[in-house]
Amino acid sequence: MRESADAARLARAPSRIDRVTNAGWRTLLEQAWEAVSGGTVLPAEIAVTGPPSDELPSTLPVADAALACTGAALLAAAALSGHTRSVALDARQVAAVVRSEAYLRVDGKHIGPGFAPLSRFWPTADGWVRTHGNYPWHRRALLAALDIPAESADTSATHSAEHEGAGDDGAAAVDAVAARMAEMSAMEAERRVVAAGGVAAALRTPEQWLAHPHGRLVAQQPLIADTWFDTAAGGTRSAGVSQKAGRGGTPLSGGSSHPLPASGIRVLDLTRVIAGPVATRYLAALGADILRLDPPDRPELPLHRYDGLVGKRSALLDVDTPGGAARLHELLDATDVLVHGYRPGALSRFGLGASALAERHPGLVVVALSAWGRHGPWGGRRGFDSIVQVATGIAARESADGDRPGALPCQLLDHGTGYLCAAAALDGLRRRAQSGGTWLRELSLARTAHWLLGQPPTERVAVDHPRVVDAGWLTELPSEPGPVLTVTPPGALDGTGLRWPDLPVRYGAATPTWD
């Protein structure tokens, strides 16, 4: 295998950006495209309309980064298609789609809060710490780390698949955790919660993070890390539109005879929460067949069932059983792209480590997403967007008063990294078509945070009007409880806007097979 230096094998040329109306994100797109493609020439013209600055107010270039990440994914789709001539983005649609959870409705109703009461900032004896307790197992670990009996914390009696997670905690739980946190330092709180298997991060400044051993390591990593396995069978899988006629391409709407760039591509989705599901749902909008697998003993939260399953089939599979593990490898035999969000090393026990995948399933494109990256002292640590913002210094940078931590106006680390994952998958297919072999492409929320923090600061612009998304950027999909209202996928190829596949949103209802 060879590391990212293998990108030199790819054709390189100066990048060009045409018809850009908002030049502020030009540099970020160039950086993102360099990471995605290894520096190949941009395959299509790109046009951006509308300034989004008041929709995503921040001291960091959040709006520009969102445009760069979605633009990179569209350009990777154009490069894979071989025939796309123009790419277009509307900046206000992008600002809406990176906040898709806020606009989600099921049968006209909100799904519930994005964060459970125990997912929040806590003042400590010397600073602040943030915890994540949306999932019941993380909540239990948090309470155990603080020596708080779960039965005394106003735990809801309802822990069904529809109600587990957000909203299960009452005032007694919040008060108990707050009292414990106030007695210890932020670093001690972080240490105890993480040691118990929970999720927490002490507030750090960007400078403190860069001085941390893991922060220094993240700063040295590329935005997208590449490993190429020279597997002889790598060229046997479908790779590129010209080889996918037998798989049934999906024509673009609006009269174009060309198929969508990823039509006929099979993507196995082993991701949860936001970043990974954003990547795979966007691949679905670009024509890919997505099958998402979840463990039956850890049901997904309702919000993410609907927001994260758009355009996909969803099945349950217990890979801890011999039959489940065998089925997983059967699926991988016919899979083009594997996208997983497991912590580094967690898949090795299933024979899904990078080398094992390359040997057993040659020709795969593997996109591995994690919170902190594969290497380093935090390589095996759990994390989410909100937690990474706190550890890396983003929350300190976004503080409005210099005391209480702030947050980005959207979960950009999740959404931005998600679109970069989609771009990495698409460009991995292009690389496979040219060079064969098995491609591993690794991304992390922490590395995206470092990229964002490295950009020149911006002026926060106060929003003096409610955020109302244009009705033309909303669409409905069927589900058993009622229609799912969501934001349409961003972008247009050759003048035709993308749309979600017309699939019902049904968690765990499909069989774990390729049709």
Side-chain angles (χ1 to χ4, degrees):
M1 68 181 182
R2 292 203 290 272
E3 294 291 334
S4 57
D6 189 71
R9 292 161 48 87
L10 304 174
R12 302 176 66 91
S15 59
R16 72 182 163 83
I17 303 176
D18 299 320
R19 299 184 184 177
V20 175
T21 59
N22 182 353
W25 56 273
R26 179 188 300 264
T27 299
L28 281 83
L29 178 61
E30 291 174 340
Q31 293 169 358
W33 184 247
E34 169 74 23
V36 167
S37 73
T40 62
V41 65
L42 296 188
E45 298 178 349
I46 183 165
V48 174
T49 58
S53 57
D54 63 341
E55 294 297 322
L56 298 171
S58 173
T59 62
L60 295 166
V62 171
D64 289 345
L67 283 168
C69 294
T70 52
L74 278 170
L75 289 169
L80 182 64
S81 74
H83 60 72
T84 301
R85 294 294 174 263
S86 68
V87 173
L89 281 169
D90 188 295
R92 292 195 180 274
Q93 184 189 20
V94 170
V97 81
V98 295
R99 300 181 68 251
S100 60
E101 314 92 84
Y103 299 107
L104 183 74
R105 303 288 186 275
V106 179
D107 197 25
K109 305 179 183 67
H110 288 278
I111 294 300
F115 291 102
L118 295 186
S119 296
R120 54 172 287 180
F121 284 107
W122 307 93
T124 65
D126 63 351
W128 294 87
V129 69
R130 180 158 187 142
T131 58
H132 195 284
N134 281 16
Y135 287 102
W137 44 94
H138 293 155
R139 177 189 185 277
R140 289 192 293 268
L142 170 62
L143 295 176
L146 301 177
D147 299 321
I148 299 172
E151 61 271 15
S152 68
D154 281 358
T155 305
S156 168
T158 303
H159 281 284
S160 69
E162 286 297 322
H163 297 92
E164 267 191 310
D168 286 346
D169 302 297
V174 173
D175 290 345
V177 173
R180 289 284 199 274
M181 290 295 189
E183 298 171 351
M184 64 185 74
S185 70
M187 294 299 176
E188 175 64 11
E190 175 187 281
R191 186 195 65 77
R192 291 183 59 170
V193 175
V194 170
V199 186
L203 180 70
R204 292 169 173 85
T205 65
E207 295 75 20
Q208 289 171 328
W209 174 244
L210 287 175
H212 186 277
H214 198 81
R216 290 197 302 269
L217 183 66
V218 168
Q220 297 167 6
Q221 301 301 310
L223 188 57
I224 301 176
D226 295 325
T227 305
W228 182 65
F229 298 83
D230 190 3
T231 47
T236 63
R237 296 168 185 260
S238 60
V241 173
S242 63
Q243 298 184 25
K244 294 181 289 187
R247 300 280 291 278
T250 304
L252 279 164
S253 60
S256 173
S257 61
H258 292 302
L260 285 161
S263 62
I265 292 295
R266 287 172 170 169
V267 178
L268 195 62
D269 180 358
L270 304 181
T271 69
R272 308 194 86 177
V273 194
I274 299 175
V278 162
T280 49
R281 79 185 184 191
Y282 201 55
L283 293 174
L286 290 164
D289 180 8
I290 314 293
L291 176 61
R292 171 167 158 169
L293 300 179
D294 279 276
D297 61 332
R298 293 205 163 186
E300 184 57 288
L301 300 175
L303 173 65
H304 301 305
R305 292 187 185 194
Y306 295 102
D307 193 59
L309 288 181
V310 170
K312 312 172 190 179
R313 291 182 298 120
S314 165
L316 303 179
L317 184 67
D318 186 355
V319 297
D320 278 317
T321 66
R327 173 54 60 88
L328 178 60
H329 284 287
E330 290 174 4
L331 289 168
L332 286 169
D333 282 337
T335 294
D336 294 290
V337 177
L338 169 64
V339 183
H340 76 79
Y342 283 83
R343 285 176 292 138
L347 291 179
S348 296
R349 64 192 178 99
F350 305 120
L352 296 175
S355 297
L357 281 170
E359 180 178 352
R360 187 166 181 176
H361 306 287
L364 268 177
V365 174
V366 181
V367 178
L369 168 69
S370 63
W372 308 105
R374 179 158 54 117
H375 304 289
W378 285 21
R381 185 174 290 206
R382 298 170 176 86
F384 297 90
D385 180 305
S386 59
I387 299 297
V388 176
Q389 286 191 42
V390 174
T392 60
I394 289 176
R397 176 76 69 83
E398 290 290 271
S399 172
D401 58 10
D403 179 23
R404 184 175 181 84
L408 296 176
C410 65
Q411 295 191 68
L412 181 74
L413 303 185
D414 267 334
H415 284 273
T417 308
Y419 285 102
L420 290 177
C421 283
L426 294 164
D427 193 72
L429 291 167
R430 181 188 65 81
R431 296 180 185 212
R432 188 184 71 181
Q434 293 181 349
S435 307
T438 300
W439 289 87
L440 169 65
R441 316 208 68 191
E442 298 175 278
L443 301 90
S444 72
L445 304 185
R447 188 56 184 81
T448 302
H450 178 77
W451 176 57
L452 183 64
L453 283 163
Q455 306 303 324
T458 61
E459 182 180 355
R460 192 196 309 267
V461 178
V463 178
D464 58 3
H465 59 84
R467 293 186 178 99
V468 179
V469 67
D470 188 309
W473 297 330
L474 296 175
T475 188
E476 287 188 343
L477 296 169
S479 78
E480 290 184 357
V484 175
L485 182 71
T486 188
V487 182
T488 56
L493 299 173
D494 288 335
T496 301
L498 297 178
R499 55 186 176 85
W500 302 120
D502 191 19
L503 292 175
V505 183
R506 294 176 181 170
Y507 177 77
T511 57
T513 59
W514 292 117
D515 292 339

